[in-house]
Amino acid sequence: MANVVVVGAQWGDEGKGKLVDWLSERAEVIVRFQGGHNAGHTLVIDKKVYKLSLLPSGIVRGNKLSVIGNGVVLDPWHLKEEIAKLRGQGVEISPDNLMVAENTPLILPVHAEADHAREALKSIAKIGTTGRGIGPAYEDKVGRRAIRVSDLADPETLAARVDRLLLHHDTLRRGLGLEPVDREALIAKLGEIAPFVLQFAAPVWKVLSEKRKSGSRILFEGAQGSLLDIDFGTYPFVTSSNVIAGQAATGSGLGPGAIDFVLGIVKAYTTRVGEGPFPTELDDPDGQRLGERGHEFGVVTGRKRRCGWFDAALVRQTCATSGMNGIALTKLDVLDGFETLKICVGYQLDGEELSYLPFAADQQVRCRPIYEEMSGWSESTEGARSWAELPANAIKYVRRIEELIDCSVALVSTSPERDDTILVTDPFAD
């Protein structure tokens, strides 16, 4: 059976939640493989709105197994809150349909405190993090001092692991002007949350291997967007994990041979939250119109998203770095009514034309977009479920995007509703 990886192909907020939910109907297992609770996904099902930031989008469907993989950093207190909220909306969540990898690192209060303190320093440029401790938690993971889910089951060694962690953090906190961590309070807090988290703990790598062998279809769900990847994003204004499709293997415990189709989620225009370069950003009525029509506010932070024209040069890069087999184009309906549309096909940098965005941060800031113009359409595309329902110019726009990014369109989304989707190629087709 085919297994599919879904990744965002821009700076996030591309509409992954709806598409993963829509695709999860065809899968038995849905896996989150990176990021933390800094990534917001909004699902609209039968007019009912679900807002997720940590749990896999498949959790709102019955008879599916949702998995949080080892590539995620997990805030156990947020996990409890999010589960309680969804249960309050009638979603059934138990160890039967939710598993958390035993080797998943935890986000602790000290991580969020370090995040906020560093962002507040006027002596360094702000990265624009959500302040939820994601970055510091990943730092502890690679520094070999993280507290992991499995550690909660061993109180005798947990204290020693906390001491190792605080040896680093108390030193850091002195430099940031913060008081030392209350060791006993932290250990007590972990002891209180341990029973709740451990009920979901499992050897996820083993479970996924068995599911694959039995023929179950697996859907791997990424968070953020490829342009926030720690290696291939607009560094340093990026997240602290690998976002591109290759991370699905290491972030879940299945090898790369388990991946059959990589689907990139691409918004029909471009948005970005927080700091960092954005070549096609619009600070004009067109940009304001995109933001208003697209309801461009962050699910997690509520921050207003920056908006701009579609950047084909950037998406062409992310299609290459993730090895995408197809894209799902979302929010096409937001472009309804624009007389003229622009697509960025490359950049001007100090008089030289480039077909890609360079990695050097100072060069990224100086890149100016090279635009190609297309005629827009006055008809509505909202709710369209077939090519026949799309205006001719909307189809031309989609086809031109395919040409420019060198990747075919597999799906087109025309509203937040689950079924308002045009299926061109089924990623799960064997």
Side-chain angles (χ1 to χ4, degrees):
M1 293 293 185
N3 299 320
V4 177
V5 176
V6 175
V7 293
Q10 294 158 307
W11 278 293
D13 309 309
E14 301 97 346
K16 291 184 294 297
K18 171 200 165 172
L19 268 299
V20 169
D21 171 64
W22 189 86
L23 287 165
S24 68
E25 187 176 16
R26 295 163 170 76
E28 287 75 50
V29 184
I30 298 89
V31 184
R32 267 287 304 273
F33 60 85
Q34 56 78 218
H37 63 304
N38 55 340
H41 292 165
T42 299
L43 308 180
V44 182
I45 303 170
D46 297 328
K47 306 299 182 183
K48 195 169 185 178
V49 178
Y50 302 91
K51 293 185 181 293
L52 311 178
S53 56
L54 178 61
L55 292 169
S57 297
I59 198 69
V60 300
R61 284 189 177 273
N63 302 316
K64 307 290 180 180
L65 175 61
S66 290
V67 173
I68 296 176
N70 58 277
V72 173
V73 283
L74 177 77
D75 183 322
W77 299 278
H78 177 87
L79 175 67
K80 187 174 183 179
E81 291 173 3
E82 191 167 321
I83 287 175
K85 182 179 178 182
L86 287 176
R87 282 173 172 167
Q89 291 184 278
V91 179
E92 294 184 8
I93 302 175
S94 73
D96 292 329
N97 68 342
L98 176 65
M99 289 184 181
V100 178
E102 296 172 321
N103 52 337
T104 301
L106 299 180
I107 300 175
L108 308 178
V110 296
H111 295 130
E113 291 165 6
D115 220 348
H116 282 293
R118 290 195 298 207
E119 280 286 285
L121 289 177
K122 292 182 170 45
S123 59
I124 60 173
K126 289 185 177 182
I127 300 298
T129 75
T130 59
R132 299 197 164 202
I134 311 297
Y138 274 117
E139 290 173 33
D140 283 345
K141 174 182 178 177
V142 298
R144 300 182 295 277
R145 53 181 173 266
I147 307 296
R148 305 199 294 183
V149 168
S150 59
D151 296 328
L152 297 177
D154 189 2
E156 292 184 4
T157 62
L158 181 60
R161 295 182 186 281
V162 168
D163 287 339
R164 179 180 176 84
L165 178 81
L166 297 188
L167 180 65
H168 169 80
H169 276 275
D170 280 342
T171 303
L172 174 66
R173 290 167 73 90
R174 281 196 296 271
L176 293 172
L178 300 176
E179 293 294 320
V181 174
D182 186 332
R183 174 184 181 273
E184 300 306 320
L186 176 57
I187 292 174
K189 197 173 175 70
L190 288 169
E192 290 172 4
I193 198 67
F196 179 82
V197 178
L198 289 172
Q199 68 178 309
F200 301 105
V204 159
W205 66 270
K206 183 174 183 293
V207 172
L208 292 180
S209 178
E210 292 168 351
K211 290 288 185 182
R212 184 191 177 203
K213 288 176 182 177
S214 69
S216 294
R217 287 175 170 175
I218 303 172
L219 181 63
F220 299 89
E221 175 184 6
Q224 291 93 36
S226 298
L227 293 171
L228 295 176
D229 185 271
I230 189 67
D231 288 312
F232 292 99
T234 47
Y235 191 91
F237 303 99
V238 293
T239 194
S240 297
S241 62
N242 285 112
V243 179
I244 60 177
Q247 177 64 16
T250 53
S252 66
L254 275 179
I259 298 171
D260 301 299
F261 194 100
V262 178
L263 179 68
I265 313 299
V266 181
K267 195 177 289 186
Y269 50 101
T270 311
T271 63
R272 178 166 199 170
V273 172
E275 309 297 325
F278 185 172
T280 66
E281 183 173 11
L282 296 173
D283 186 18
D284 63 9
D286 283 338
Q288 183 175 350
R289 183 179 178 185
L290 288 171
E292 291 173 353
R293 294 203 60 191
H295 306 290
E296 297 297 351
F297 295 91
V299 174
V300 171
T301 64
R303 289 184 293 182
K304 183 179 179 181
R305 296 177 187 138
R306 300 153 64 190
C307 298
W309 295 119
F310 185 82
D311 193 329
L314 279 179
V315 175
R316 186 166 58 244
Q317 288 180 229
T318 58
C319 285
T321 55
S322 273
M324 292 177 191
N325 302 101
I327 67 164
L329 191 67
T330 68
K331 289 198 169 185
L332 183 66
D333 54 302
V334 174
L335 299 181
D336 293 352
F338 278 89
E339 185 175 340
T340 302
L341 301 172
K342 294 182 180 181
I343 300 176
C344 174
V345 297
Y347 311 101
Q348 283 277 356
L349 174 61
D350 302 334
E352 179 185 358
E353 287 193 11
L354 296 178
S355 61
Y356 65 95
L357 191 69
F359 283 129
D362 63 314
Q363 293 182 351
Q364 290 177 348
V365 172
R366 299 201 308 277
C367 281
R368 297 293 175 262
I370 300 172
Y371 284 122
E372 178 179 293
E373 293 191 358
M374 296 188 68
S375 297
W377 55 90
S378 57
E379 307 95 321
S380 174
T381 63
E382 185 174 1
R385 299 183 181 182
S386 70
W387 285 116
E389 297 176 63
L390 293 180
N393 281 349
I395 295 175
K396 289 179 182 178
Y397 183 76
V398 174
R399 293 307 188 195
R400 184 56 180 152
I401 284 176
E402 287 183 313
E403 294 172 356
L404 290 170
I405 67 174
D406 195 25
C407 190
S408 61
V409 170
L411 303 102
V412 179
S413 172
T414 56
S415 94
E417 285 291 340
R418 173 191 283 167
D419 293 327
D420 289 343
T421 304
I422 301 170
L423 177 62
V424 183
T425 301
D426 187 347
F428 280 116
D430 296 334

